Amino acid sequence: MKRAQHPTRERLIAVTVEMLDDRGPGEITVDDVLSLSGISKGSLYHHFTDLADLVDEALAYRFAHYVDLTVAAIVPIVTDSKTRDEMFAGIARITIATQSPESRPNRLERVETVGRAARNPHLRELLNNEQQRLNGALADLIHEGQNKRWFSADFDPLAAAVLIQAYTLGRALDDITEPHLDPQAWIDLIDRLVLKTFGAETKGK
């Protein structure tokens, strides 16, 4: 975990992150964390103000983790592609993965975490720090694409970074709606948006 450097702190967050796989934040207890981590109560309260502090850290980690995985997958697409068309084909594959029905739980969890942050200043601060980092990472990749002249140079990379995350989170509106949109229609629309909005006119360079 990149944000937690002390091994004990890392262990406590990791255990709490895993517990959130099958229970809500309010269902996690100090005794469960201590039992699963093998760490003493004194050490827990040395690293965290209280259980809520620990749970907030775990929620922020999970919130950012999904985007971190996407960023890691985009890096070789932007840096290793030999042509503009090869890069956009790679981005289209990422779109399929992030917008898939299988990713529905991840999207809904991220939306839920944003909602919790609206009423939780500490969690909001943690998400702010993570979002600044994620925005910067995506903006750097977009800027690299602009340097290669595969992305148009007439838009702000940071604004594009936020837009990319926004349409993924926006997919959650369909996740809670029946019947769902045709998944391919949604992916086709995003592909058109990305190509027409971000793509430079010159191809194959």
Side-chain angles (χ1 to χ4, degrees), residues 7-115:
T8 299
R9 183 180 176 86
E10 288 183 1
R11 174 65 178 159
L12 289 165
I13 294 175
V15 164
T16 308
V17 165
E18 291 176 6
M19 292 173 69
L20 288 167
D21 280 338
D22 55 18
R23 66 186 79 181
E27 300 174 297
I28 293 175
T29 68
V30 170
D31 288 343
D32 288 339
V33 173
L34 299 180
S35 175
L36 291 171
S37 68
I39 291 172
S40 69
K41 182 179 290 188
S43 291
L44 187 154
Y45 287 108
H46 173 72
H47 290 283
F48 300 96
T49 303
D50 51 24
L51 178 63
D53 183 16
L54 170 58
V55 171
D56 284 349
E57 290 278 357
L59 287 169
Y61 175 86
R62 289 174 68 95
F63 177 88
H65 183 61
Y66 304 130
V67 182
D68 278 326
L69 292 175
T70 300
V71 170
I74 294 174
V75 168
I77 292 172
V78 175
T79 59
D80 298 346
S81 292
K82 304 303 181 186
T83 67
R84 172 187 183 271
D85 290 343
E86 181 182 349
M87 182 190 68
F88 275 104
I91 292 173
R93 292 193 297 272
I94 296 296
T95 298
I96 291 171
T98 59
Q99 308 300 313
S100 70
E102 290 75 22
S103 294
R104 181 176 296 131
N106 296 349
R107 292 190 294 266
L108 290 175
E109 180 181 336
R110 295 188 80 233
V111 170
E112 182 179 9
T113 300
V114 170

Side-chain angles (χ1 to χ4, degrees), residues 42-201:
S43 291
L44 187 154
Y45 287 108
H46 173 72
H47 290 283
F48 300 96
T49 303
D50 51 24
L51 178 63
D53 183 16
L54 170 58
V55 171
D56 284 349
E57 290 278 357
L59 287 169
Y61 175 86
R62 289 174 68 95
F63 177 88
H65 183 61
Y66 304 130
V67 182
D68 278 326
L69 292 175
T70 300
V71 170
I74 294 174
V75 168
I77 292 172
V78 175
T79 59
D80 298 346
S81 292
K82 304 303 181 186
T83 67
R84 172 187 183 271
D85 290 343
E86 181 182 349
M87 182 190 68
F88 275 104
I91 292 173
R93 292 193 297 272
I94 296 296
T95 298
I96 291 171
T98 59
Q99 308 300 313
S100 70
E102 290 75 22
S103 294
R104 181 176 296 131
N106 296 349
R107 292 190 294 266
L108 290 175
E109 180 181 336
R110 295 188 80 233
V111 170
E112 182 179 9
T113 300
V114 170
R116 293 177 66 87
R119 303 177 299 277
N120 181 334
H122 177 246
L123 179 57
R124 187 162 63 248
E125 180 182 358
L126 293 174
L127 293 189
N128 172 67
N129 294 338
E130 288 302 315
Q131 198 56 54
Q132 295 278 4
R133 181 179 63 80
L134 294 170
N135 287 344
L138 281 170
D140 285 346
L141 288 170
I142 293 166
H143 185 64
E144 179 65 21
Q146 289 176 322
N147 286 340
K148 292 185 174 184
R149 301 188 180 183
W150 293 343
F151 284 142
S152 173
D154 63 357
F155 66 85
D156 177 37
L158 184 58
V162 174
L163 175 62
I164 290 168
Q165 296 170 83
Y167 63 63
T168 299
L169 281 181
R171 184 79 165 93
L173 293 174
D174 182 60
D175 290 333
I176 61 170
T177 305
E178 295 285 353
H180 297 301
L181 289 172
D182 175 0
Q184 190 58 51
W186 177 253
I187 289 170
D188 289 346
L189 180 60
I190 291 175
D191 287 344
R192 289 182 61 188
L193 171 69
V194 171
L195 185 61
K196 297 295 185 181
T197 303
F198 300 155
E201 291 184 5

